[in-house]
Each structure stands twice: as C-alpha cells, then as structure tokens.
Amino acid sequence: MSSACSRAFGGLLRRSPVSIPTVQSTARLAPARFPTLAVRANSTESAPKPEKAWGNQWNYYNKYRSKQFDTLNYLKQIAPAWIKEVQLFDTGDVYIEIPRQKLPQVLDLLRHHTNFQYEQCMDIYSIDWPEKEERFEVQYVLLSVRYASRIILRLTVPQDVMVPSATCMYDSANWLEREVYDMMGIIFSDHPDLRRILTDYGFQGFPLRKDFPLSGYTEVRYDDELKRVVQEPVELSQEFRAFDFATPWEKLQAQKA
C-alpha cells in the first residue's frame, strides 16, 4: 500500500473497528405492492394477495427488505454526520448519499464493522448531469456476502474536482476507477495508476459525457500506402448527411448514380 494512499485514508486502516452496541430493530415497513398485482381499472375483482401469489419468494423479499431497512437505520444511528440522504426502494435497494470528503471513512466503516462487512466492491460508475453545478454523480456498489446485502453509495462532484480513491480499501476499484476516468474524466486522488483503459492511445475527450459528439473527433483507419493504422479528423461526406429516413439506401444509390 502506498504511503500517499495511507495518508488519504487518515490512518483508518490501522485502527480496529470500534465496538458499538447493537441498535434494536425498528418497525418493519409495510409490504410494497407490485405493479403486476395491482387492481385493474374498471374491474370489480380484487388482486390476489402478494403472499399467496409469490409464495416463498414473497417471504424472502420481505426478509431482505426488512434487513436492508435495519441496516440503513443502524448506519444512520452510528454515523449521522456522514449521511446526506438515504433512499430505500421497493426492491430493497439502498441508496446512501454521502459527502465526497467522507468517502474513506464511510468505506472503512462499511467494510470493517462487524454488523456490515461489505467486503466486495462490485462496480463503480458515474452519471453526467451537465445542467447541475455538481455535474457528475459517482456511485459505488458494495456487497456483503456475510449478510447477503447490497448497498449503493452515491456522491456528487463538480467538474475538475478530485474524488478520493477507494483502491486502498478495495483492489477491484483500481480498474473500475480507471474506467470512470477514461469515460467521464473524473480524477481520483492517490490512485496508483490512473490512466486510460478502454480508449486508444492519444484519445482526446471523454466519450460518455453528454457534450461529447456521437461521431467523435477522430477516426481510425488502415492506410495502404503507409502500411499502418492512422488517426485522422472525422470527415463526413455530404451524401451520408442528406438522405430520406424512409428509404435511405435507395436515395443514396440515386445520388451516386
């Protein structure tokens, strides 16, 4: 582990998790009604009961959603200052919005605390919102095999502002953060090898940003004279621009004739 990465986490990895008494389970949420089980309009027949229609799957769903609710409630009890907003969906998915400065502390807590043990980082992805001041949204999908639970951490970041790297906590975050950097241009501080991973050498721009043109800026082709692959600015011929969407190929052939 690099010294820079250790300093970024403020020595959290060297501390053993603090023993916190377990909070009593709160009241269970009412079962959600699935769209397929809703009462139809202009119908006098009532929808079947979810418990009867889904059987064991409904019982498993109720247990999972209840466990996710308890996990969320316990996290709010022990770390209220690290949580900006929480969302629990009918599917049992938990979204937790946190300040980007507190990402190392939250990851350390979720990974090492006995009641969480989210030891796997399944995915890291980002969303582009050009109209917002904090343009990018980065989400971390964490999995606890011990408790069969999955949560999603969410944070927002303005353009050209760095996000703390999670490579000190999860080895899988190395390539995942490189992919986010390659596609969106989000910089992760203290990353051991932050370089492009999907695009070609010398690629300019970030393809998944919404202000990136669909045609791109350059094209790659094989040059028979040079006997190598060359990069050139994109040139779209006019015959490929003006065509009838109903019969594009027939009009294209007429233009060539």
Side-chain angles (χ1 to χ4, degrees), residues 148-192:
S149 175
R150 184 181 67 175
I151 64 172
I152 300 176
L153 297 181
R154 180 169 56 192
L155 57 89
T156 57
V157 54
Q159 188 173 348
D160 300 329
V161 174
M162 294 189 293
V163 178
S165 176
T167 53
C168 291
M169 200 67 62
Y170 300 100
D171 292 336
S172 60
N174 190 324
W175 283 16
L176 295 175
E177 290 179 350
R178 286 179 58 186
E179 181 179 349
V180 173
Y181 165 72
D182 194 0
M183 296 289 103
M184 285 289 194
I186 300 175
I187 302 175
F188 295 89
S189 60
D190 298 311
H191 191 284

Side-chain angles (χ1 to χ4, degrees), residues 68-100:
Q68 291 289 80
F69 180 78
D70 291 341
T71 300
L72 184 58
N73 179 71
Y74 184 66
L75 182 60
K76 292 170 62 177
Q77 292 272 355
I78 64 177
W82 295 351
I83 299 176
K84 297 173 61 177
E85 183 182 358
V86 295
Q87 289 180 315
L88 177 61
F89 291 89
D90 292 341
T91 57
D93 293 335
V94 175
Y95 283 78
I96 304 175
E97 185 173 352
I98 62 174
R100 62 179 176 277

Side-chain angles (χ1 to χ4, degrees), residues 236-243 255:
L236 298 178
S237 302
Q238 184 62 29
E239 61 182 357
F240 291 100
R241 295 175 183 265
F243 60 89
Q255 290 178 355

Side-chain angles (χ1 to χ4, degrees), residues 90-136:
D90 292 341
T91 57
D93 293 335
V94 175
Y95 283 78
I96 304 175
E97 185 173 352
I98 62 174
R100 62 179 176 277
Q101 299 85 353
K102 297 296 183 181
L103 177 64
Q105 291 89 333
V106 175
L107 291 179
D108 178 73
L109 174 66
L110 294 176
R111 180 181 175 89
H112 295 109
H113 196 282
T114 306
N115 292 346
F116 298 131
Q117 299 187 30
Y118 290 94
E119 298 180 350
Q120 295 187 19
C121 180
M122 304 302 296
D123 198 4
I124 301 176
Y125 52 89
S126 60
I127 305 173
D128 185 13
W129 303 97
E131 68 279 0
K132 294 185 179 180
E133 182 178 357
E134 295 190 346
R135 175 175 180 175
F136 301 108

Side-chain angles (χ1 to χ4, degrees), residues 65 127 146 189 197 228:
R65 192 170 189 270
I127 305 173
R146 173 66 177 82
S189 60
I197 190 174
R228 63 181 178 87

